[in-house]
Structures are given as C-alpha cells and as structure tokens.
Amino acid sequence: LFEKMSIDWASAYNKSKTHIEWNLNETIPYHLQIVRLDGVAKTKNLIEFCVSFYDNERKSCYGSTWKSIPFQHPYVVNQDLVFHAEVVASTCIIVEAASIDDASFKKKILGWTCIKMFKNTFTNKQHDLFQGSSRAMFFLKELSTASSHLLKREGLSLILTLNQNTVVRNLKSHIPSYYLTNPLQLTKTNKSLQPTSLYLENLEVFIGNDVSKFEEQLLLLFLADAKQQNSTVRQFDKVSIKERRLKAAVHNGLKFTDQFQVAYLVENKDFNPQVLKSKGVISLLNMDIRHSVMFSLEYVVEVPISFSNIRMVSRMRQSQVHILAIKWGIWAPMSYLPTSGSLVQVPISGGPSINPEKKLVFTQSYNPGAATKDAVVSFKLVKQEGTANLNDTRSMMDVGTTPEPVDLKFRATPPPTMEVSEIPMVEQEVFSQQQRAPQQLSQGSLLPSQLSSPSHSPFPLVSENFPHLKPEVDALSEPELEKATYAKIYNAGFPDLCDADDRPALEVDLSKHYIYSPLLEKRDPKTCNTILFQFLALKLRNKNIRHVFFTIKLYRFVCGTTPILLLLPSDRPGVPSILSVYESSDRVPGYISSFKVDPSSMPGEPLNFLEFIQNGSCFIDVWDSESLFHLGGTSIQLKRLARQGEHGIQITGVYPLYNNTQIGKLHLRIANIGSLPIVTDTNDLDTSVIIDLNKPTDNGELVIKPRPLIDVDKNLAVLLSSQPVIKNIKNRKAERMEMVRKQLDSTRPIPLIDDVKRTRENQLKMIDNYRRKIQNDVIREALISNITHHHCLYNEFGSVSYFEVVLSNKSSDSEAFKITWDNTDIRLVVNNSEIRKLKNVYNLTTPFEEDLLSSPSSPADLILEGREQVYIPFAYTSTTTKDTIDNRIDITDKKNCPVNIIRLKFKQRPPILTGRYKYYEGENSFCKRSIAIPNTIRDASLLKVRCSDPDVICNISSTNEVFFKAPIGKSNQLTTFLLFLFVDDFCLKPSFIWEVEVYSLKKIEISTSVGTQITFPVILRGTESLRCVSCFSNSPTVLKVQPEREFVLMSGTIQEVELVFEPTQPGKTNYMVHVVDTKNRSIIERWMVNTTTVLPVVSKTYNIPVQVTNSPVVKTIAFTNPYATTKEFKIKANNPSLVTFKATQLSIPSHQSENIVFSLSPIAVSVPNYILIFVTDLEQKCEECFAIRVTSS
C-alpha cells in the first residue's frame, strides 16, 4: 500500500509540475492592447477599464493595478499597456470594464474577463465578459472561463491583443516586474537626456550625536532585542560592530536602475566625534540626471556563537553577521544642480517611514531625553557630462577601504556583488523567500517628484503645449567655472546689503547644518523685516536674449516687477552675464528690489510671517522685455532667512530657472534686514474674536454742539429757503432808526409795520413743527447708537474666520431672541465637531453648549432662560476680493424691538501662495487642465478643492488630480483665479493655495511636411491710435514672422503679416507669436499656431557605417536633375548641427548628376542617428528626400 501511494503521488507530481517548466527568475516583456468593446450602445456615459494581476493558486492579486482615463465610448478603444512578468500558468490578467454616468459620476460594472497562460500570445481575440464584479474570482476554487458559476453578458465582448513587447526598448530597465503602464507615458517620462556621471568624494556622515555613545546604545538595544526574538542563539559572549558603510544607488521612481555602491566609514575622533568619514569615492556612472539617489547608512554587527550552537549554522563559521539599517535619505540632483566641486548636504533620518528598500530602520537615539540633531550626509560633487568610461578605475570595486574591525581576528572586504551562498545566514532565508514568491511592486509609490530634497524645488509652472517651454537642448551643458571667473562675477562692484546700522548683513553659509530656534525669533524686538532681492547675474540657454525683467511674488504683496535689465556681454563663453539697469546712465551692476513687512499692524501677523519664513517660498519669473515671452521661473525656499536675533542676514546662491526643462541659472542674493516697528495710530476698533454685548459701547455720552439748524438738516434748509429773505442786521437797524426820527418829527404817530418780525415768527413756527416731526427719529437713532457695537476682524481670502457673540438675558424670565443678518457669507456654526475644531484653532476656552442652534442661515431663533448667558458661534468665509467688507447683525426680542446691533467690519488680507501655474488657451473656449496633488497629501480622499471664481468648475478627478474647467474670453485677455486645497473635513483653512493664470490667444492651424517651407498670411487689425509694432516668434528657427523689422500700424487699417513655417521634425507642435508695441511695451495681439507635420516620401535610404572618430566624416550622395532644363536646387537637412554641406545650392544641367558632399559631425558619428536630407527648388518646395542611417562600427 505504501509503494502504491508513493507511485500515485509521484505520477500526480509529474503531471502537475509541467505548468512550471520555465525559469521563474526570468521575466518576459509583453504588450497588451485593449482593441475595442463590442455590444455597448453609444451614449454620453464614460467607459473605464481596470487591469490587474491575479494568482490563481494563492487566490490573491499582486503587482500594480492600472486604470484608464474615463472616455466617451468609440468603436475603437486602442488602450496600450506594457509590462514584463514571469511565465507562470497560475498568473492571470483580469480586465474589467465599467460605465460611469455623465451626470452623477456613479460607476456601474459592465463585465470582466481573464487572460491565462502568458506563453500563448494572440492578436485581436474575442473574450466574453462575465456578469458582476471581478471580485467573484476570490470565491471560485479554480478560475476558468468554462466555470458554470460564471454567467456571460449576452452581446458584450472585449477584443484583446497580447504579444511580446516591441514598443519600448529595454523595458526591464525602466519598470519593475508586474507593473502596468502606458508605453507613451513611459516613453515621455524616460526620454533620454545626455548621460551624466557623478563622483561623490570626501564622504562624511554627521550622526547628530556622539558616535561612541550612539553605537553603545545601539548594541545594547540590539542585544536586548536579539535575546527576545532569536531562539537559536542564546549565549552572546561579545557583540561588536564589524563595519560601518554608506550605500548609494540610483532610483528612477519605480525601481533601482543599478546595484548599490558601498563606501566604508570610520570614526573621526580627532576632529569631530559626531562625524563618520570615508576615503572612498561613490561613482554614479551614466545616470539620468532626472533620477534620484538613495543613501542608506548601515551597521554590520557581529555576534559570536557558542560551541553548542555551531552545529546549527549552515556553514562552519565562528560568528553571525547582522546588517542593521540606521538612517536613509533621498537626493534629487535635478531639483538643484550644483556646480562641479561644490559641497552637497543630504539629510538622512530613521524611524518607521517607508523607504524604497522596504527595510525596518533604527529609530531610537542614545539619549531619548536629550535634543537630537538631524543626520546629514555631505560630499564633494564631481560632475562629468556625457558618457563615462565603464572601465573607469573609480568603480564600485574601489569605492572605499574596509575599516579595521574591533576585536576581530581577520579582515574581510566584501565583493561588489554577493551571491546567494555568500549572504550571511540571517539574511539568506529572507532572500530565498523573496526569490520564490512573485515579485511585488515595491517602489510603485515612490515617484521622482515625491523624492524629498534639501535643495530648492523646481518652479511648478506652465503649459505643456508650447515649444518655447521646451528649449532646444535638453540639458544645460556648463563647463566647470574657475575660481577666478567666480571672483570676477562677484567682484563686479555690486553694492553691499547693509542693516539699519549701515553694516553689511551677516553672510549665511548654506553648506553648514541649520538649526532653527523659534524662541529667538519670538524674543526679537525687531519684528519689522525688509526682504531684499539683489539680482547679480543671469545665464540663459538662449543667447539671443539681451534684455529681461523679473517679477517677484512674495508673501502677501502684489506681484512686483523690476525695470528692464541689460545682460552685459561676458568675455568668456559659459560665464553668466552681469545684470544692469537698462535705462540707467551710470551702469551700476545689479538691481535691488525691496519688500518691507511690518506685521505689528495686524493681530496675529507676526506668527504668520515666521511660519511663512520657515515653510513658504517666493516665486521669481523672468521675461524677455522685447518679445514679452515668459522664459521661466523658480521657487525659492526662505527658511534660511530667519534672522535668529541678528540685525540682518543674507544668502547668495545660484538658482536654476525652469520652464518644463531648465532654461538657465540666476545668481541672486537675498537679505533679511530687521528693524523696530513703526508705531502708528491703528484702527481703534476691537479686533478680538469674542464680541461681548454686555460691555458698554464705544459711543460714550451723546454731546451735541449747538449749530444752525440749516447746517444740521438739509431738508429744513430747503424749507426755510422758500420763505422771504431776511435782511441783514445792519440794514434792519438803519431802517428802524429812520422810522423813529420820522415819528419824532411828525405830529401824527406812524404805524410801525415790521415785516421782518412776521417772517421770523413764521420761520419759528415752521422749525417747531419740524422738530416735533423728527423728534422720535432722533431719539431712536440715539438709542440705536447706544446699543450698537463696532467690531473689526481680519480675514484671509479662502479661509474661515471664527468669532463668538456673547448674548445675555438680563431679565429674570425666559426671553426669545431673533438673530438676523444680510450677508450670505456669514453663517452660524451648528456642527458640534466643527465648533470644537474652531475653538482649538483659535485657542478659545469659552463655554460651549451643544445643539444651541438648529439652522445656520438667517434668521435664527434662540430662547434664553432668565439671567442666562450663551456664546453664539459665527463663521465668515469671504467670496469677494474687496479689501473691506461691512456687515450688520441685528438681535431683536419677541416684539421685534432691537436689543443689540453689531457693526462688523472685515479687513481682508491677501492669501499666501504655495504654487503658481500659467496656461495658454484659444479664445472663446474652455481651459481644461489637471494638476497633480502635492506629495505631502497621502490620502487623496480627504482632499477638497474650491475656486475663487464661481464660473470655474473644479474637483478631484479619479486619478487623484485637481481638475478645473475655466471659461476663456477674447484674445489677449488674462483670466486669473485661485484654487484652494483643503485636507480638513470642514474646509477651515486651505493647506495649499494655487494661483492659475490663463492667457487667451487666437488659434491658427497649419499643416505641411518636413522639409517644406510654407507661408501663411495673417490679418492684423489696427487699434484706435497709431502704433509702432514688432512681431516675435517663440521659435524663430522654425517659425518666422515677416516683416521681421519694426513697422507702423495705422489706426483702423489692416496689415498683412506672413508666417513662414519650415519644420525639421514630424509631429504636432504649438507655437506662439506676439505682436508687441515697442514704445509702450504692451502686447497688441497673441497668436497660437497649431502645426501638424508629417514625414515626406523618402526617395532613397542610405545605410552609412562609420568609425567613431573625433573629426568630421565626409560622405557623398549622387543626385540627378530630372528636368529638361538647367535648374537651381537647394540642399538642407533636418538637423543642421549634425550635417554640414559643402555647397547648399547646386546648379545642375538637364539630366546630369552632381554629388551632394556633406560631412557628419563627431556627435552624429558617436551614436546611431537618422538624418533626412532635402533637395528643394528656389521656392523651398521639396523635390527629393534622402534618408541617412548612420551606424557606428
């Protein structure tokens, strides 16, 4: 029976083992295409696909999950995916289709299907869709399309294609296994730049504590932890540190592109007991500068094993080796490109944070109660552009020397790579388990934009539509500058930045470790800060730009603009140009722009400014002053500008300018000068967030100075002016004396008729009646003034301002009150959780009564018991851009008599921006864009977005991006709005504020082929007045504008402008043309030229094998004139930098042949190139096209 069971088991095993007959460690690249979805009616609903990997044996999903962008259902879908995976029969690909309602965005599953057996590829194969969700596969014993538990969707099918990958080269070097991605996106993000080799010398690691004490505590913790977890090793005679090593490897955001390189560290007790240093060099050869470098500090701990435990060791050794990860960090060279020879510092940290290796990292310091400084890796950077020699002596074999271990009998230097058998016993078991299991996506969440860096971040700018945002050269090639050149730049006579005592501000060394003390900033009496920007020099990739100006966005200030600055010519190529004011006669080098911040005038502003200095950034843009094209910009972190009690500090640095790619470098000096605040008579209104109605009002006693009634009331003045005019006092007295004399002289008495008296009596009666009429109104106004409370609050646009009103019932009986207001931006806070959070934000400890009010809108009813006092919570959110907003809140009793009146004034403060974006769109259309959410937001489901413009639609898309749709007006108009990103539930204060600028342009469509020159006329209409204008193109080598010189545009006339387009590369590209008023420096018209270029018909293709050399290679091509007469021909190439012609114009007789002689540059010879040579007539019409395929031999 035992033998029979053994035979059955053996046969069953032999039958089942055939499904794993390929090498599990080898992965094969594949290309999956979702061709079309049949059986779905064409509606407004959106279609979304979801693709995942599923292991049929382990009943689990692994790898990455890919979701398509929702789209309108066409007949042909053509969704392409590439990946590489092991050929295992148990692995399936799950494809699920869903329909998304266009109005409610509700998702409905249409069906799903599975693909098995990677080895069997197919083309345009029809797969039936099953009902329900793909979660049904978890409840099936065997996932099979023939299962009776799966019901097919009648009429629905999916056409799929699965082939070996031929779309992307070297797919395995770009992405990890089981990672699904779009080939176009992969090709775009992995577009090769010029390879750069970085050598890291003078390596030092600043631990932050004393190294000996830190290592002593580390060994004690390791010993205690090992005794609890390690059951095989019970006796530890002596534990020692064998090695200290620093590892470095290049990471492309998805996987490591190469193996780790190791530099061995030793203590530096003589100079600094907190530093570990190494004499080795880490060589990062031929890396893409857009990738990041991961540093990992590791300790190798040796544990001696007792004799009783030696038999348990797989190999006869006298000790076990444990590798402990201490700290790690990421350095992104692209975010800050230091010059060769400069000192770079990279912070490293420990703790339970996610790292690309997914290792547990040591987190406890040697003294938990003491202050621990941050750890830093510092090194000297040596940069070499171009391809490095792979046989360089400074390779991984020579990155350092192993330090002499303590208490060891032998010395071992680890090889550059370690085989499985050479891995220590503690790690071998884990390693073998990782080899057996399917490889998981370990670094899928680590993108290049998410890698933290201590240097300045790139400027988050602009549209991807225009070639002026993509310079012709992908990388800024800059030779290493000598010290004498730097001395010449910075000794050009720039004025010093001095403090209030006329002393130069303290220079801050950016290479030193920075420790910020909030206590020093709060104790500083000089709360007034003046931020100075001194523009020193500028280096641009475009050498044709001569005049520029800068715009600066800092804190709450309006965006400032510098005057036009002239780029002084330099005497040496590659040296930055000194900046000088263009209209200045004395040509003083540099320009200083100042911003004075006096936060003492507004409550709470000092703390806001200190927080801005630590976490905020300023945005600097550079513009061409002639064409008014935006060249690029940068964002500069200001945390090193904290004065820490100093009178003034300054920093000098070189900041890269970005516009999709790096376009240059700006030499800038920034200073912070402190001064005492200016004591001014600020607003006397109360600015606290507690409005106590029990306090007396600020109106005081009602004191009225006697004045003529006609000056007090205009209505009474109009009434009295209709009565007869009373003569002046002097004439009236003279007339009375004359009448007295006549009465004395005459014997008969003269009756005295005084008309003035009658007039006076009538006026007095009128005044008395008017007084009785307005008496009630005057008394009412006086009483209302006595119960009116004036209050002032400062509000930040986009944030919620919270205030409480203290209301008391002064009677002993219950009383009903009604609260009304007219501004819809004011609301009552009725959510108990929101009230608690607002009180916590404003540090309020006032009493809180739950469910005090039921409705947040006006009017609100409230009943108070006798002698009861409550705190009514209010919130205000501004939706207007006015500086001051006046509001009124009325509180009345049950008889509708006013009890209290609150005159509330909100003074609005401008927001502090955290990002700026510029886009360009055609006129009278909609700008639809998506912006990636910040890396600091880990859970995108908590994110909420609002816009300052009610006409702009914004939301969080399914791809976790901020989507907005903004209406665009007529041409040459600027649409500006703010996007507020909230991470809290109640949207109290935005965590991120983005400013979006959309420029509207007129659209022009042009289609042609490569090598053909086309002229397109455009009509330019005159303005109301005469203008002197010039036309500029953002790419004059491809798109020219005629006339090229300045011309006069008459008012009310029409001028024809010609666009000459001569493309050199196929594809769709957008260009931009500006029509600029040369006197007023304003843009009259903007044109967006959308071009579509196709490849011409190639007459003949030549394969030219050449040898790699440093000199040009001369070649010839024969060309025959097919015409019956002698004709002139022009010769040109699609890439003039690679090909030089001996003669660019040939005169060939009829039916005769001539040789086209050209030379290939060394760059064209060193790497394979595909060059097109065009033969055109004198009118630039393409006659012939030859293709040259250059291969190096």
Side-chain angles (χ1 to χ4, degrees):
L1 182 61
F2 177 77
E3 292 179 356
K4 183 178 180 181
M5 290 179 60
S6 301
I7 295 173
D8 294 340
W9 178 86
S11 61
Y13 176 79
N14 293 329
K15 290 181 181 180
S16 62
K17 75 174 184 179
T18 57
H19 75 288
I20 307 179
E21 58 183 3
W22 302 285
N23 186 11
L24 294 179
N25 296 329
E26 182 182 0
T27 59
I28 299 176
Y30 287 96
H31 173 212
L32 174 65
Q33 185 181 29
I34 305 176
V35 181
R36 67 175 182 269
L37 178 64
D38 293 340
V40 178
K42 188 175 182 180
T43 61
K44 292 184 179 181
N45 294 344
L46 303 177
I47 301 298
E48 183 185 66
F49 290 99
C50 179
V51 182
S52 300
F53 293 99
Y54 178 75
D55 193 340
N56 199 14
E57 289 184 356
R58 298 177 176 85
K59 303 298 180 183
S60 63
C61 293
Y62 55 92
S64 68
T65 298
W66 176 84
K67 284 187 178 181
S68 67
I69 300 177
F71 60 94
Q72 291 284 347
H73 172 60
Y75 179 74
V76 180
V77 178
N78 288 337
Q79 295 283 342
D80 294 289
L81 293 174
V82 292
F83 63 95
H84 64 98
E86 300 170 358
V87 184
V88 181
S90 61
T91 302
C92 306
I93 300 179
I94 306 299
V95 183
E96 187 179 82
S99 175
I100 302 177
D101 187 76
D102 185 53
S104 61
F105 294 97
K106 292 183 177 180
K107 185 182 294 186
K108 179 182 178 181
I109 304 298
L110 297 177
W112 63 280
T113 186
C114 65
I115 306 171
K116 300 182 67 175
M117 294 296 295
F118 286 167
K119 193 175 182 181
N120 300 329
T121 59
F122 49 84
T123 303
N124 293 337
K125 183 179 179 181
Q126 183 178 1
H127 291 73
D128 296 328
L129 294 183
F130 301 108
Q131 297 182 11
S133 171
S134 59
R135 291 192 296 269
M137 59 189 178
F138 295 102
F139 302 94
L140 298 176
K141 293 183 178 179
E142 179 68 21
L143 182 59
S144 174
T145 56
S147 176
S148 60
H149 299 285
L150 298 179
L151 301 179
K152 298 181 180 179
R153 292 291 302 267
E154 297 296 331
L156 284 182
S157 61
L158 198 61
I159 308 300
L160 302 175
T161 296
L162 181 66
N163 292 319
Q164 296 256 344
N165 170 51
T166 58
V167 181
V168 182
R169 297 181 179 179
N170 300 325
L171 182 65
K172 298 181 182 180
S173 62
H174 296 318
I175 58 176
S177 60
Y178 298 100
Y179 182 84
L180 295 161
T181 184
N182 189 287
L184 297 178
Q185 183 68 22
L186 186 64
T187 306
K188 179 180 178 181
T189 56
N190 290 280
K191 184 180 179 182
S192 60
L193 294 175
Q194 182 180 3
T196 304
S197 296
L198 302 180
Y199 299 95
L200 313 183
E201 301 177 348
N202 300 340
L203 289 163
E204 292 184 354
V205 179
F206 175 78
I207 296 296
N209 295 317
D210 188 86
V211 175
S212 59
K213 295 182 179 179
F214 170 78
E215 293 177 352
E216 179 182 359
Q217 182 69 13
L218 174 65
L219 294 179
L220 291 176
L221 293 175
F222 170 76
L223 183 61
D225 185 67
K227 287 182 178 180
Q228 294 180 1
Q229 299 182 6
N230 194 343
S231 59
T232 61
V233 182
R234 300 182 181 275
Q235 298 179 3
F236 293 83
D237 298 332
K238 190 174 184 181
V239 180
S240 62
I241 295 176
K242 181 180 179 181
E243 294 174 358
R244 310 173 188 89
R245 58 193 187 188
L246 179 67
K247 300 195 308 181
V250 180
H251 199 284
N252 66 354
L254 295 174
K255 63 177 295 185
F256 291 101
T257 61
D258 204 349
Q259 296 178 349
F260 274 92
Q261 299 192 40
V262 181
Y264 297 95
L265 305 171
V266 295
E267 293 184 68
N268 190 15
K269 297 181 179 180
D270 297 335
F271 298 93
N272 192 346
Q274 299 182 358
V275 173
L276 296 173
K277 62 183 302 184
S278 174
K279 297 181 180 179
V281 178
I282 291 181
S283 304
L284 306 175
L285 303 179
N286 302 331
M287 69 169 291
D288 193 335
I289 200 65
R290 295 170 299 184
H291 296 168
S292 299
V293 181
M294 175 186 172
F295 293 93
S296 178
L297 176 63
E298 290 184 349
Y299 273 59
V300 179
V301 179
E302 184 184 41
V303 181
I305 304 178
S306 61
F307 180 80
S308 60
N309 292 329
I310 290 180
R311 68 183 69 179
M312 303 170 60
V313 185
S314 59
R315 299 174 65 180
M316 187 61 66
R317 295 177 299 184
Q318 296 182 356
S319 62
Q320 279 186 339
V321 176
H322 297 260
I323 299 178
L324 306 180
I326 305 301
K327 295 179 183 295
W328 71 282
I330 292 292
W331 174 49
M334 188 62 179
S335 61
Y336 177 61
L337 294 178
T339 58
S340 183
S342 61
L343 182 64
V344 180
Q345 290 186 341
V346 180
I348 57 176
S349 61
S353 58
I354 300 176
N355 57 76
E357 288 187 287
K358 285 198 170 181
K359 287 186 177 180
L360 296 178
V361 183
F362 182 78
T363 183
Q364 187 174 353
S365 63
Y366 79 97
N367 189 359
T372 304
K373 301 179 181 179
D374 296 332
V376 175
V377 174
S378 64
F379 54 87
K380 178 184 177 183
L381 178 67
V382 179
K383 182 172 60 175
Q384 177 181 346
E385 300 287 345
T387 306
N389 185 9
L390 296 180
N391 297 324
D392 195 334
T393 57
R394 294 188 296 181
S395 61
M396 189 174 173
M397 296 288 293
D398 190 27
V399 295
T401 58
T402 306
E404 189 69 24
V406 182
D407 297 334
L408 289 181
K409 298 181 180 180
F410 60 93
R411 174 178 174 178
T413 302
T417 57
M418 301 181 68
E419 302 294 334
V420 178
S421 59
E422 297 176 348
I423 297 178
M425 185 195 67
V426 179
E427 296 183 333
Q428 186 172 352
E429 182 180 358
V430 180
F431 186 84
S432 60
Q433 290 178 0
Q434 293 177 354
Q435 293 295 324
R436 290 193 297 268
Q439 184 176 356
Q440 303 290 328
L441 179 62
S442 58
Q443 290 89 20
S445 61
L446 185 62
L447 301 178
S449 60
Q450 298 174 349
L451 300 178
S452 60
S453 173
S455 55
H456 306 285
S457 60
F459 188 65
L461 198 64
V462 305
S463 171
E464 64 281 358
N465 297 336
F466 294 97
H468 80 283
L469 306 178
K470 296 182 179 180
E472 297 177 0
V473 183
D474 290 334
L476 183 63
S477 59
E478 178 185 0
E480 184 177 355
L481 298 180
E482 300 175 355
K483 293 184 178 180
T485 305
Y486 272 115
K488 182 178 179 180
I489 294 176
Y490 291 107
N491 293 331
F494 296 107
D496 295 332
L497 302 181
C498 301
D499 57 13
D501 298 331
D502 201 18
R503 294 178 299 182
L506 179 64
E507 184 75 27
V508 177
D509 188 1
L510 298 179
S511 62
K512 292 184 178 180
H513 186 64
Y514 174 69
I515 300 177
Y516 174 74
S517 175
L519 187 60
L520 289 177
E521 292 292 337
K522 293 180 181 179
R523 290 180 177 178
D524 190 1
K526 296 184 177 182
T527 58
C528 184
N529 299 271
T530 302
I531 309 298
L532 302 177
F533 294 89
Q534 186 178 27
F535 296 90
L536 306 177
L538 178 66
K539 179 183 178 182
L540 294 176
R541 199 174 341 204
N542 190 350
K543 305 301 181 182
N544 298 324
I545 297 177
R546 299 172 298 173
H547 308 88
V548 297
F549 67 91
F550 296 88
T551 56
I552 308 172
K553 178 60 180 177
L554 175 70
Y555 195 46
R556 304 187 190 274
F557 292 96
V558 180
C559 190
T561 305
T562 65
I564 298 176
L565 302 180
L566 173 66
L567 276 72
L568 299 179
S570 57
D571 55 354
R572 178 180 174 183
V575 177
S577 301
I578 303 296
L579 294 174
S580 178
V581 180
Y582 176 66
E583 298 179 354
S584 177
S585 58
D586 51 359
R587 289 283 184 256
V588 177
Y591 176 76
I592 300 176
S593 180
S594 63
F595 297 85
K596 190 172 184 179
V597 182
D598 188 3
S600 60
S601 59
M602 289 185 287
E605 198 64 15
L607 295 179
N608 293 337
F609 182 73
L610 292 180
E611 182 181 358
F612 168 75
I613 287 293
Q614 280 300 302
N615 305 319
S617 302
C618 70
F619 303 94
I620 298 180
D621 296 335
V622 57
W623 306 74
D624 184 2
S625 62
E626 294 181 350
S627 62
L628 300 182
F629 282 125
H630 179 262
L631 302 179
T634 184
S635 62
I636 303 175
Q637 297 179 0
L638 304 176
K639 60 182 179 180
R640 299 304 296 268
L641 284 180
R643 291 186 290 106
Q644 298 287 278
E646 298 290 342
H647 296 281
I649 63 172
Q650 60 179 333
I651 57 176
T652 305
V654 182
Y655 303 96
L657 300 172
Y658 289 91
N659 210 340
N660 281 355
T661 57
Q662 187 172 336
I663 58 100
K665 291 184 178 181
L666 172 64
H667 294 250
L668 183 67
R669 181 180 294 161
I670 311 175
N672 183 5
I673 307 300
S675 61
L676 296 175
I678 301 176
V679 180
T680 58
D681 187 13
T682 58
N683 198 341
D684 296 334
L685 298 179
D686 190 4
T687 58
S688 64
V689 295
I690 304 297
I691 305 176
D692 193 354
L693 302 182
N694 298 323
K695 295 181 179 180
T697 60
D698 298 334
N699 301 322
E701 298 180 358
L702 188 60
V703 179
I704 301 176
K705 184 179 179 180
R707 286 184 299 168
L709 287 176
I710 57 175
D711 296 338
V712 175
D713 197 303
K714 294 182 180 180
N715 297 328
L716 181 61
V718 173
L719 212 62
L720 295 178
S721 63
S722 62
Q723 299 295 322
V725 181
I726 303 176
K727 299 179 181 180
N728 56 40
I729 298 176
K730 185 175 180 181
N731 295 336
R732 191 168 67 246
K733 288 183 178 180
E735 291 179 358
R736 287 182 178 179
M737 292 300 297
E738 186 65 26
M739 294 178 66
V740 170
R741 292 191 189 97
K742 290 181 180 181
Q743 187 175 4
L744 294 175
D745 296 341
S746 63
T747 58
R748 298 176 55 188
I750 300 176
L752 183 60
I753 303 175
D754 193 357
D755 295 335
V756 177
K757 186 176 180 181
R758 293 181 182 177
T759 303
R760 177 65 65 184
E761 290 178 354
N762 293 336
Q763 290 181 349
L764 292 176
K765 290 180 180 180
M766 189 178 300
I767 292 172
D768 184 62
N769 293 334
Y770 184 79
R771 276 181 172 175
R772 295 178 182 275
K773 182 178 180 180
I774 67 172
Q775 184 178 9
N776 293 334
D777 296 337
V778 172
I779 295 174
R780 184 182 297 107
E781 289 182 1
L783 294 176
I784 289 176
S785 177
N786 193 37
I787 63 173
T788 302
H789 297 258
H790 296 272
H791 212 80
C792 179
L793 293 176
Y794 288 91
N795 175 66
E796 187 170 344
F797 188 65
S799 301
V800 175
S801 294
Y802 179 73
F803 60 96
E804 294 181 349
V805 176
V806 183
L807 179 62
S808 301
N809 181 11
K810 299 182 180 180
S811 66
S812 57
D813 299 330
S814 300
E815 187 72 27
F817 297 93
K818 180 181 290 186
I819 307 171
T820 58
W821 60 91
D822 52 357
N823 192 346
T824 57
D825 294 337
I826 298 178
R827 61 180 175 88
L828 288 170
V829 186
V830 297
N831 192 311
N832 298 328
S833 301
E834 185 178 2
I835 295 175
R836 292 189 185 94
K837 191 167 186 178
L838 285 169
K839 284 180 175 290
N840 188 25
V841 170
Y842 283 84
N843 296 323
L844 297 179
T845 58
T846 54
F848 166 53
E849 182 178 348
E850 295 185 357
D851 301 330
L852 179 65
L853 300 164
S854 59
S855 175
S857 58
S858 175
D861 296 326
L862 181 63
I863 298 178
L864 297 182
E865 300 293 337
R867 308 299 179 181
E868 184 183 2
Q869 177 177 291
V870 294
Y871 289 77
I872 306 174
F874 282 89
Y876 171 78
T877 305
S878 176
T879 58
T880 180
T881 57
K882 294 182 180 180
D883 295 335
T884 305
I885 302 99
D886 295 325
N887 301 276
R888 174 173 173 171
I889 301 177
D890 295 329
I891 302 177
T892 58
D893 57 9
K894 59 184 178 181
K895 297 180 181 179
N896 204 20
C897 295
V899 177
N900 292 105
I901 299 175
I902 304 173
R903 293 282 185 178
L904 199 57
K905 179 181 292 186
F906 287 98
K907 291 188 176 181
Q908 192 156 261
R909 293 180 291 194
I912 302 175
L913 301 181
T914 57
R916 300 185 72 194
Y917 298 89
K918 289 180 173 63
Y919 298 99
Y920 300 87
E921 195 63 54
E923 63 176 348
N924 299 325
S925 61
F926 288 92
C927 179
K928 302 177 183 179
R929 294 292 189 276
S930 295
I931 305 175
I933 62 175
N935 306 326
T936 55
I937 301 178
R938 296 184 177 180
D939 191 359
S941 61
L942 302 177
L943 190 64
K944 299 179 180 64
V945 60
R946 291 180 181 177
C947 184
S948 60
D949 190 350
D951 296 332
V952 177
I953 300 173
C954 58
N955 53 38
I956 304 299
S957 63
S958 59
T959 57
N960 293 334
E961 293 180 332
V962 178
F963 170 80
F964 68 87
K965 176 182 177 182
I968 308 302
K970 296 182 179 179
S971 175
N972 205 20
Q973 288 185 358
L974 175 63
T975 303
T976 305
F977 54 90
L978 299 176
L979 293 177
F980 304 98
L981 274 68
F982 301 88
V983 294
D984 57 297
D985 298 334
F986 305 104
C987 300
L988 302 181
K989 184 178 181 180
S991 301
F992 301 92
I993 302 177
W994 295 341
E995 183 183 52
V996 180
E997 296 179 351
V998 184
Y999 297 84
S1000 60
L1001 306 90
K1002 288 186 177 179
K1003 279 188 176 181
I1004 299 174
E1005 303 287 341
I1006 297 179
S1007 299
T1008 184
S1009 61
V1010 178
T1012 302
Q1013 186 182 91
I1014 183 173
T1015 302
F1016 191 87
V1018 181
I1019 299 301
L1020 177 62
R1021 298 184 181 274
T1023 58
E1024 297 178 355
S1025 60
L1026 185 143
R1027 301 285 187 98
C1028 294
V1029 300
S1030 295
C1031 300
F1032 300 92
S1033 170
N1034 63 334
S1035 184
T1037 58
V1038 179
L1039 181 66
K1040 299 180 180 179
V1041 186
Q1042 295 180 353
E1044 297 180 357
R1045 297 183 178 180
E1046 181 181 353
F1047 61 92
V1048 178
L1049 181 62
M1050 305 298 294
S1051 61
T1053 60
I1054 295 177
Q1055 177 76 26
E1056 183 177 280
V1057 178
E1058 293 183 349
L1059 304 179
V1060 182
F1061 180 54
E1062 187 176 0
T1064 59
Q1065 299 294 335
K1068 293 184 178 181
T1069 314
N1070 298 333
Y1071 300 91
M1072 197 160 57
V1073 176
H1074 280 183
V1075 182
V1076 181
D1077 187 345
T1078 56
K1079 291 186 177 180
N1080 298 330
R1081 294 294 176 185
S1082 60
I1083 298 178
I1084 298 177
E1085 192 60 83
R1086 286 188 177 100
W1087 293 321
M1088 182 171 61
V1089 184
N1090 301 333
T1091 63
T1092 303
T1093 308
V1094 297
L1095 284 173
V1097 178
V1098 178
S1099 303
K1100 192 173 182 180
T1101 302
Y1102 296 90
N1103 293 321
I1104 302 179
V1106 294
Q1107 294 183 354
V1108 179
T1109 179
N1110 293 329
S1111 59
V1113 178
V1114 180
K1115 296 292 180 180
T1116 60
I1117 295 177
F1119 172 70
T1120 304
N1121 180 11
Y1123 296 98
T1125 59
T1126 302
K1127 196 169 184 180
E1128 298 283 341
F1129 296 95
K1130 289 186 176 181
I1131 314 299
K1132 60 182 180 180
N1134 65 332
N1135 198 338
S1137 61
L1138 302 179
V1139 182
T1140 303
F1141 296 97
K1142 182 178 180 180
T1144 58
Q1145 187 168 344
L1146 299 176
S1147 179
I1148 305 176
S1150 174
H1151 301 289
Q1152 297 293 325
S1153 298
E1154 289 285 346
N1155 288 332
I1156 301 175
V1157 183
F1158 61 92
S1159 61
L1160 299 173
S1161 65
I1163 300 178
V1165 175
S1166 60
V1167 294
N1169 277 288
Y1170 188 80
I1171 303 171
L1172 297 179
I1173 296 179
F1174 307 100
V1175 181
T1176 65
D1177 57 7
L1178 298 180
E1179 297 180 356
Q1180 298 293 334
K1181 295 181 180 179
C1182 186
E1183 297 279 351
E1184 296 286 345
C1185 177
F1186 301 105
I1188 308 298
R1189 195 183 304 274
V1190 182
T1191 58
S1192 57
S1193 59

